[in-house]
């Protein structure tokens, strides 16, 4: 099937006099979760990972992804049709410069950022924007855009009114001497207007675009049928609503204005349209991104509450796992966890597809269990589960790795898992001054692994939204991230890991809330992390002899807190199990 | 005196229709140590720090420097004439944009890099290049340029021939499809041509410029009288020598060529001259910088040898210090250390002005002791000494902080010093994969201080040359540094500190040599640090209760190594002292 799609695409490219075409995973919001009609990469190649890009030339084609998906890419794509490449070790621009020198390479300007496009130009690739995506021309039964309703996100969860938020954003635009900003991230719009939706899986936003003006006015571009009367009322008069089709005209109406467009986060199409209309485009971060990331006190308390409730499902699941080996599977385990979460008040769905990986499947960093891939959970192996939930008051994301028993874990596995635990604790206990950014801290999570020549091929942590995207910017704990200073109120994941391909994987993840750290005599402000996630780490995978006294004390104190906060929410038999799971290490 | 200079300068600026002028510390090589005729900032303001900039407007003037020199700046400049500003907290471009909007601000294009100039343009400041520096017009007795001879740096110290080095640099230019590179850093020229000189204090190079061509040919621009016949022979026929005055013509001769100019490290004058001549200027790091930083095996062994010999002087000095309190001064201590170093084989001078600070003077991060500032070293206080030496086989840089006794150090001082020691050990023991850069590791040196709300206002470490500059790029252990990956052979300082203004300062510094770390099963290359510096840390300032077992083990092992390697080089009485100073902590 895929072979004929590739043949069709090549014919379409030939008709348009293009020597090649790039197919990103992105939709026109450059989002992580996209509606099914935007799954062009999956449709063309079979690869379902959340990050990737295909390049199609007349005589060869390649799919690129990062370290998280290398194994999945190999499993899902046809080696006869596709070369498989590591996107950072052999970037697509360099590959194109080598294999299609001088060729005209098409791109859809709605699916590529200006910065992304620049990387091709820097490599000397001749990039040609195409107005109609050639994939759409050959994808006959492409699903239509979703029309799910956008609904109010009430103040008891949002904490601040949209009016306040729009005034804050407008003030930032005025300070930057800008007349308006284009907002293309539906999560930013959801935050700014206090609305939520269900257009894509896992992230509760409604797809749309917005233009925010320096006078705090806002134009929302969203199919009117997605906005019921109650939502229209909730938005108020300062927010105008127009159909998506009105967007080019509205951008043209900004002629002569200074308009902020996020060169990394927005499709280049917006800057191209604005420049063609005679607007002055200024690069700059989506003005909602940082204020959205810094959760207000209501959102912070919501996060604590959501995590405490989610912990009940996670702890019950961990107990259930104790007897799962031998008669449950990766798939049935993921289903069990979902079933337990569905019993939690306020549960609104998973925040991403659960990763449920036993043994060697745990080494597939972003493994997605399917009926085809699922295997039994066996005795005496590792089982890794990375999952999360959306609640009206917060978003969760937690990973635990357990030893299925009944035997003891081998010394090597305990050594690796303990080094991951040490990295997790090193991050969790950091105190640092304002100004420090993710790239400056990432190494703390790795030092214990590095010491013996080991590492993991993914970032240490990402931002997490408030009943929004489980992966949000602008801060992440990664050497590759831009050094945006960490700020109070940001929620970050802390998820070091270790993966031995074909054998096993370990990842240990809690969410952290950035808090001011108070020191009476400090000469500048400091920050610390408050751990939000509450669930025991499997003590069978911990080797106390490898830990310092301070690390053991942290783990024991964390477990005591889990027992104190989650225990009272459990039934008696679950409580007894939790008490044992949370016993001190020594 | 300074008041009249400022008056004269303002008159000169008025004559040239300039509303302002910037006076950097730099010379036309943008170097740290500059000949006396280039000390324009010192001449104008009285500030002698190695980093700073003055801005002169008609009605106000300011001097900017960084955290290392804040106290010194206040002490050396006249508050009636000069506002004193922190250069990163209130950068000169922002200050100018605020205080001289729309004004024409002059700059000497030989004293500012292209990147530096861009920061003024980004702030909206109108910058006007001036051909003749206005300071030079009013500085009547400005010293002439030095004419010290450039001498061969023999292969037994350099390790590689200039021919090999020029071929390596030329190959890099060919790979980048560049015809030539301008080299403006005299340290790069010294490395490339295996020559050394004495034009400026502390750094043994000869001032000059070079153009390296993609065919490995090289044009050296240096006063011919600085090159004795033996040096001309040593340079060989592939290196042409012309006077500095021939430089503009030579740049004009590159019309139509692609020429690399370091936009951060070279004066913008070069790019301006090349563009005016019709050359294509390409930004890029000085092509000598990274190969110069990665010491070859001969230079590495030279560094070990130089450090072992230097250690004799440092250890004798530390013993001498034990009885110094009460009858010696900061100045006499610095003189004593120099006297001891002068007895070491191959000593060629200090690598920077020694910092000799007792008590509160130790809190002045780059304190320079003078007859006016020097004070007695008293009992029961800290004394900090940061010093280094040039040897033909290597450059040293070492800081120790001691407690003068006879009483015990207060608990607070021991707490701070121990946290600095923990930071030092955290860096020294790191193992990390290739790809990691200074900004990713700097925080390890600070974490123990951060934990209690403390920090220090300088980078953790800098590159060190081989009988060259004690501060060299491109790698440094600093959050502010560019993320250039750390590579084997690089020498870095490891110098965390803590400073309580008006009270005391602690800094503990060794030099580290980056080495491959061998792991049989590693899936990628790793690096580790070899400590070069050999001198005991004062155990009276260490609180073992604050240290982990691993930290204590590191310190005991380091001290055992110091005793084993330095002890045999000492006289018997010094040996006995060293044995006591190197005794295990517990």
């Amino acid at each position: 099937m895929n072979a004929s799609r590739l043949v069709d695409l090549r014919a379409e490219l030939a008709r348009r006099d293009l020597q090649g075409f790039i197919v990103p995973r992105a939709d026109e919001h450059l989002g992580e979760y996209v509606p099914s009609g935007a799954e062009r990469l999956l449709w063309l190649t079979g690869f379902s990972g959340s990050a990737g890009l295909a390049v199609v030339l007349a005589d060869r084609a390649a799919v690129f992804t990062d370290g998280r998906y290398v194994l999945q890419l190999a499993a899902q794509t046809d080696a006869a049709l596709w070369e498989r490449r590591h996107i950072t070790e052999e970037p697509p621009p360099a590959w194109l410069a080598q294999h299609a020198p001088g060729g005209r390479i098409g791109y859809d300007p709605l699916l590529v950022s200006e910065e992304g496009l620049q990387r091709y130009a820097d490599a000397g690739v001749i990039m040609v924007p195409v107005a109609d995506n050639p994939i759409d021309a050959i994808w006959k039964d492409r699903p239509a855009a979703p029309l799910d309703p956008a609904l109010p996100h009430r103040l008891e969860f949002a904490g601040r009114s949209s009016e306040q938020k729009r005034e804050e954003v407008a003030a930032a635009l005025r300070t930057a001497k800008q007349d308006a900003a284009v907002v293309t991230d539906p999560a930013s719009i959801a935050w700014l207007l206090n609305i939520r939706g269900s257009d894509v899986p896992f992230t509760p936003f409604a797809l749309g675009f917005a233009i925010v003006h320096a006078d705090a006015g806002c134009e929302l571009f969203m199919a009117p049928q997605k906005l019921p009367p109650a939502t229209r009322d909730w938005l108020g008069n300062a927010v105008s609503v127009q159909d998506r089709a009105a967007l080019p005209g509205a951008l043209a109406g900004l002629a002569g204005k200074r308009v902020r467009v996020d060169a990394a986060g927005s499709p280049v199409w917006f800057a191209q349209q604005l420049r063609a209309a005679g607007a002055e485009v200024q690069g700059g971060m989506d003005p909602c991104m940082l204020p959205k990331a810094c959760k207000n006190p209501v959102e912070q308390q919501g996060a604590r509450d959501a995590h405490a409730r989610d912990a009940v499902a996670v702890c019950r699941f961990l107990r259930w796992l104790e007897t799962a080996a031998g008669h449950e599977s990766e798939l049935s385990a993921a289903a069990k966890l979902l079933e337990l979460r569905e019993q939690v008040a306020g549960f609104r769905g998973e925040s991403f597809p659960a990763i449920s990986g036993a043994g060697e499947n745990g080494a597939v960093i972003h493994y997605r269990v399917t009926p085809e891939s699922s295997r039994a959970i066996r005795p005496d192996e590792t089982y890794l589960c990375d999952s999360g939930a959306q609640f009206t008051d917060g978003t969760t994301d937690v990973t635990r790795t357990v030893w299925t028993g009944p035997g003891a874990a081998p010394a090597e596995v305990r050594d690796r898992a303990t080094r991951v635990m040490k990295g997790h604790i090193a991050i969790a206990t950091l105190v640092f001054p304002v100004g420090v950014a993710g790239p400056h801290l990432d190494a703390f999570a790795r030092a214990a692994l590095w010491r013996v020549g080991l590492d993991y091929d993914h970032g240490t942590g990402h931002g997490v939204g408030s009943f929004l995207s489980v992966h949000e910017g602008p801060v992440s704990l990664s050497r590759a991230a831009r050094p945006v200073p960490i700020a109070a109120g940001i929620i970050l994941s802390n998820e070091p890991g270790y993966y031995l391909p074909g054998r096993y994987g370990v990842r240990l993840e809690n969410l952290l809330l950035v808090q001011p750290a108070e020191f009476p005599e400090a000469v500048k402000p400091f920050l610390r992390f408050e751990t939000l996630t509450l669930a025991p780490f499997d003590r069978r995978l911990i080797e106390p002899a490898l830990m310092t006294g301070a690390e053991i004390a942290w783990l024991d104190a964390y477990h005591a807190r889990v027992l104190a906060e989650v225990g009272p929410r459990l039934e008696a038999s679950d409580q007894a199990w939790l008490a044992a799971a949370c016993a001190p290490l020594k």
Side-chain angles (χ1 to χ4, degrees), chain A:
Chain A
M1 182 173 76
N2 284 340
S4 73
R5 292 174 182 177
L6 197 51
V7 169
D8 291 349
L9 178 58
R10 284 176 167 144
E12 185 69 24
L13 298 180
R15 260 192 295 284
R16 300 185 186 208
D17 190 24
L18 293 171
Q19 280 72 58
F21 188 68
I22 62 170
V23 184
R25 165 53 162 54
D27 67 354
E28 63 186 21
H29 307 279
L30 306 187
E32 179 175 5
Y33 297 110
V34 305
S36 52
E39 291 273 19
R40 297 178 183 90
L41 182 67
L42 170 61
W43 179 83
L44 181 67
T45 69
F47 173 59
S48 67
S50 70
L53 180 127
V55 181
V56 176
L57 301 176
D59 57 346
R60 62 200 303 169
V63 194
F64 300 75
T65 192
D66 61 40
R68 299 173 299 176
Y69 292 112
V70 164
L71 299 180
Q72 181 178 333
L73 177 65
Q76 292 184 324
T77 55
D78 182 346
L81 300 177
W82 300 99
E83 302 173 32
R84 283 81 70 98
R85 294 287 178 262
H86 193 292
I87 201 162
T88 51
E89 291 171 5
E90 192 172 359
W95 190 89
L96 268 169
Q98 184 187 348
H99 295 299
R104 300 174 73 245
I105 309 300
Y107 71 96
D108 183 338
L110 279 162
L111 306 185
V112 182
S113 73
E114 182 146 32
E115 280 191 11
L117 186 62
Q118 186 60 44
R119 285 192 278 274
Y120 292 88
D122 288 346
V125 181
I126 301 162
M127 297 298 287
V128 181
V130 298
D132 302 297
N133 196 306
I135 302 265
D136 300 357
I138 57 173
W139 185 355
K140 298 305 178 195
D141 54 350
R142 191 166 77 95
L147 287 173
D148 293 50
L151 300 173
H153 185 56
R154 299 289 169 204
L155 220 50
E156 63 184 292
F157 303 116
R160 292 176 67 211
S161 72
S162 172
E163 193 175 358
Q164 287 175 304
K165 293 177 178 179
R166 278 182 279 121
E167 185 41 56
E168 177 187 345
V169 168
L173 294 178
R174 293 193 297 268
T175 299
K177 299 190 169 65
Q178 293 164 339
D179 300 300
V182 167
V183 181
T184 63
D185 181 348
S188 290
I189 296 171
W191 172 83
L192 182 68
L193 301 180
N194 284 337
I195 54 174
R196 295 294 187 269
S198 50
D199 281 341
V200 301
F202 309 112
T203 310
F205 54 48
L207 296 175
F209 298 100
I211 299 172
V212 190
H213 295 268
D215 66 358
C218 180
E219 298 167 79
L220 174 63
F221 299 88
M222 190 177 279
Q225 58 267 49
K226 295 173 67 161
L227 294 158
T231 306
R232 292 295 287 258
D233 288 350
W234 175 248
L235 291 175
N237 290 331
V239 178
S240 76
V241 178
Q242 300 165 70
D243 196 81
R244 166 74 173 81
L247 187 55
L251 294 172
L254 294 172
K257 305 285 190 186
R258 299 178 87 177
V259 184
R260 186 192 301 194
V261 181
D262 191 320
S266 290
V268 66
W269 180 85
F270 288 86
Q272 289 171 346
Q273 293 278 313
L274 286 164
R275 289 193 189 109
E280 181 187 350
V281 173
Q282 295 205 321
M285 192 189 286
D286 173 341
C288 302
M289 198 180 305
L290 190 58
K292 165 164 61 69
C294 298
K295 276 70 184 171
N296 62 51
V298 171
E299 291 172 319
Q300 293 184 24
Q301 191 53 46
R304 290 186 196 100
D305 295 344
H307 277 83
R309 299 199 307 281
D310 196 47
V312 172
V314 174
C315 289
R316 292 180 68 194
F317 175 66
L318 290 173
R319 184 190 177 194
W320 175 90
L321 272 178
E322 300 248 323
T323 54
H327 57 277
E328 299 288 350
S329 70
E330 295 170 345
L331 209 55
S332 72
K336 180 69 187 180
L337 177 55
L338 178 57
E339 174 200 320
L340 291 166
R341 279 199 163 115
E342 281 167 343
Q343 300 169 33
V344 177
F347 177 72
R348 303 286 293 271
E350 293 176 291
S351 59
F352 61 97
I355 294 166
S356 171
E360 71 285 357
N361 283 344
V364 183
I365 295 178
H366 274 214
Y367 178 64
R368 183 162 184 179
V369 59
T370 64
E372 296 73 40
S373 73
S374 180
R375 77 159 176 78
I377 298 175
R378 299 181 198 125
D380 290 330
E381 67 178 6
T382 60
Y383 168 76
L384 182 159
C385 186
D386 185 350
S387 71
Q390 294 287 1
F391 298 94
T392 318
D393 47 356
T395 302
T396 69
D397 182 358
V398 51
T399 310
R400 289 295 182 270
T401 306
V402 300
W403 181 253
T404 58
E412 182 198 294
V413 176
R414 277 185 294 128
D415 176 278
R416 304 313 187 240
T418 304
R419 291 178 190 279
V420 174
M421 189 79 244
K422 288 165 75 79
H424 182 99
I425 296 170
I427 294 287
T429 56
L430 276 173
V431 178
F432 51 92
V434 168
V436 168
H440 309 136
L441 301 183
D442 171 86
F444 283 88
R446 302 175 194 269
L449 287 164
W450 285 354
R451 192 167 299 277
V452 291
L454 305 174
D455 201 358
Y456 52 93
D457 190 9
H458 60 74
T460 296
H462 53 80
V464 176
S466 182
F467 189 40
L468 264 179
S469 175
V470 76
H471 297 140
E472 74 171 21
V475 167
S476 61
L477 295 176
S478 162
R479 293 208 304 280
R482 282 192 279 190
V484 179
I486 300 172
I490 289 178
I491 295 178
L492 291 170
S493 73
N494 172 17
E495 47 180 315
Y498 172 72
Y499 311 93
L500 187 59
R503 297 275 309 284
Y504 64 93
V506 176
R507 185 159 64 250
L508 301 175
E509 176 188 25
N510 283 344
L511 296 193
L512 308 174
L513 171 59
V514 182
Q515 293 286 7
E518 307 292 351
F519 297 104
E521 294 170 47
V523 296
K524 56 184 174 183
F526 278 77
L527 300 169
R528 64 177 179 84
F529 293 121
E530 172 189 347
T531 293
L532 292 170
T533 307
L534 298 168
F537 295 98
D538 190 346
R539 297 158 67 258
R540 289 166 293 199
L541 285 172
I542 301 297
E543 174 50 63
L546 279 174
M547 295 172 75
T548 67
E551 287 165 346
I552 291 172
W554 182 90
L555 190 60
D556 285 348
Y558 173 74
H559 277 155
R561 182 184 156 210
V562 170
L563 182 60
E565 298 192 23
V566 185
R569 296 169 178 265
L570 297 176
E571 294 174 8
S573 69
D574 288 331
Q575 272 188 34
W577 172 85
L578 187 63
C582 290
L585 268 189
K586 281 181 173 169

